[in-house]
Amino acid sequence: MEKREPEGKIDLSVVIPVFEEKESLPELYTRLTKVVNQLSGRYELIFVDDGSKDGSSELLQNISRQDPRVTVIHLRRNFGKTIALSVGFKEAQGEKIITLDADLQDLPEEIPNLLAELDKGYDLVSGWKNKRKDPPAKKVNSWIFNHMVSFFTGVKIHDLNCGLKAYRRKVIEEIELYGELHRFIPVLASWRGFWVGEIKVEHHTRKYGKSKYGAERYLRGIFDLLTVILLTKYTQKPLHFFGLSGVILFFAGAFIDLYLAILWFSGQWISNRPLLLYGTLLVIVGIQFIFFGLLGELIVFSSRKDEDGKIKEKITHR
Ligand code: UDP
Ligand code: MG
């Protein structure tokens, strides 16, 4: 980690995750500094080197030696974009924070537009690559993914995966990232009551290097979607999630068993009926689900945080 200027408050932090983007970095740095220099206020650039082995690390070190506004953090190995971003967020001191990919697919020149939108009162503004310059397969996958997320979460965002986003500090402080959850920040933020907006941004084909992700990202994305649904809808009330399915399963099983019991009392032989197995299984699984829900409640109860994060403003005459 490099030294930073000691005094003064920082207005804008730009966080850039970098994994093997050697060819793009010089151009990125030049264009980025040109843009942020024209803004009023103090800024810092935070490059998080996510275990690059292509010379990006040395290049970034050189840049930071010449420019005290540049902070470089090298991760021990390649941990993935989510971790890189969350490390960058912890380091960021700005009141506003911008994230930007290092590959120049999104333009640094869009930063003033994002900030202008943020100033309209939004807490988070996401870029929307409405004319994507990516291979067709990736476009289709993204289309399906974005529509699924907006359908299941109710958060109407067109493009979750845009690297270019602007945040107010409080959003970053509220949201904890792990796994591959960086793509869901707008969803998580919106569920926490932050005001989320989006603006169209230009998108370019990758000039140098290649994409660090393949199609399997979208498969994993489905699991992340499940996590997000659970996190946003049910973390405060796990019993509602497990309990409801538990009760439905239990009653389905109980109904089947009741039916078989009536047959048995009326003199029929039931131990050769596969239904008996299903009924009993449903009852047991149902009860277990209800207990999962109760256990979930215990976990939520013992790990609950204070509620300050949910308060927007407090007016008191105390
Ligand atoms: N990235 C990273 N760690 C990784 C993969 C990617 O920091 O493990 C960075 C990468 O250098 C780039 C950004 O995340 O700045 C987006 O990656 P990429 O362009 O490969 O994704 P795509 O544009 O294909 O969605
Ligand atoms: Mg890219």
Side-chain angles (χ1 to χ4, degrees):
M1 240 181 268
E2 307 294 317
K3 265 191 281 171
R4 56 172 65 249
E5 281 177 73
E7 24 53 67
K9 167 173 140 301
I10 289 178
D11 301 285
L12 176 69
S13 305
V14 186
V15 174
I16 306 140
V18 180
F19 178 51
E20 317 212 319
E21 309 278 6
K22 177 178 66 180
E23 299 95 336
S24 314
L25 286 173
E27 184 181 336
L28 173 72
Y29 172 68
T30 321
R31 283 169 57 185
L32 188 55
T33 34
K34 194 168 163 219
V35 172
V36 284
N37 270 327
Q38 285 164 0
L39 300 168
S40 61
R42 274 166 52 98
Y43 71 86
E44 62 175 354
L45 309 181
I46 300 171
F47 290 91
V48 185
D49 166 22
D50 188 13
S52 309
K53 289 207 168 75
D54 67 337
S56 296
S57 315
E58 294 72 19
L59 224 150
L60 288 172
Q61 268 171 17
N62 281 337
I63 294 177
S64 79
R65 253 183 233 120
Q66 286 153 22
D67 186 344
R69 287 164 302 193
V70 172
T71 297
V72 178
I73 303 173
H74 300 288
L75 300 188
R76 254 181 231 114
R77 64 168 171 86
N78 177 239
F79 283 98
K81 190 175 170 184
T82 301
I83 305 258
L85 281 176
S86 111
V87 168
F89 287 156
K90 289 227 168 67
E91 184 65 22
Q93 299 190 334
E95 273 312 303
K96 292 170 190 167
I97 291 139
I98 295 258
T99 57
L100 175 71
D101 284 355
D103 58 5
L104 289 170
Q105 288 198 266
D106 300 312
L107 314 186
E109 289 77 17
E110 298 272 8
I111 290 178
N113 304 338
L114 270 107
L115 290 174
E117 194 68 12
L118 203 63
D119 284 340
K120 289 185 185 164
Y122 290 103
D123 297 309
L124 188 168
V125 175
S126 178
W128 167 20
K129 303 163 289 198
N130 74 318
K131 294 201 181 85
R132 277 186 83 130
K133 303 285 168 50
D134 275 322
K138 194 167 172 180
K139 281 197 220 171
V140 172
N141 285 336
S142 261
W143 190 90
I144 297 173
F145 179 74
N146 284 318
H147 278 77
M148 270 181 66
V149 174
S150 96
F151 177 77
F152 283 110
T153 64
V155 178
K156 303 291 173 227
I157 290 260
H158 292 88
D159 180 11
L160 284 160
N161 202 26
C162 188
L164 192 54
K165 293 191 175 76
Y167 308 85
R168 282 182 201 283
R169 173 159 206 90
K170 56 189 177 186
V171 179
I172 297 303
E173 284 171 353
E174 265 293 298
I175 289 171
E176 280 184 38
L177 294 180
Y178 66 92
E180 285 280 300
L181 287 190
H182 67 267
R183 262 172 272 145
F184 293 93
I185 302 178
V187 175
L188 296 170
S190 169
W191 276 88
R192 289 196 162 238
F194 290 113
W195 202 22
V196 177
E198 65 179 347
I199 57 166
K200 290 181 188 170
V201 294
E202 243 184 79
H203 192 231
H204 286 229
T205 37
R206 225 179 209 280
K207 255 204 218 163
Y208 315 99
K210 56 175 195 302
S211 171
K212 310 296 182 287
Y213 295 97
E216 88 290 346
R217 147 163 71 182
Y218 295 96
L219 198 66
R220 286 201 232 124
I222 308 278
F223 289 114
D224 292 331
L225 175 59
L226 277 176
T227 311
V228 168
I229 292 174
L230 197 72
L231 280 181
T232 49
K233 291 198 177 165
Y234 296 107
T235 26
Q236 290 308 312
K237 40 183 170 98
L239 190 55
H240 291 204
F241 182 68
F242 290 106
L244 183 67
S245 18
V247 166
I248 292 172
L249 295 178
F250 176 82
F251 277 109
F255 183 74
I256 291 173
D257 284 349
L258 183 71
Y259 163 71
L260 291 174
I262 293 169
L263 291 185
W264 189 72
F265 277 116
S266 63
Q268 286 197 38
W269 185 243
I270 58 163
S271 63
N272 61 340
R273 303 283 303 262
L275 209 53
L276 182 60
L277 190 66
Y278 291 133
T280 316
L281 258 181
L282 286 176
V283 168
I284 296 173
V285 171
I287 292 175
Q288 285 199 323
F289 262 52
I290 295 169
F291 277 99
F292 281 149
L294 288 170
L295 279 179
E297 292 286 335
L298 273 182
I299 294 171
V300 172
F301 180 76
S302 50
S303 65
R304 68 193 187 285
K305 286 196 222 150
D306 62 54
E307 304 291 325
D308 281 354
K310 301 196 176 73
I311 298 173
K312 185 177 178 191
E313 197 181 0
K314 184 159 42 181
I315 300 161
T316 167
H317 298 286
R318 246 187 287 125

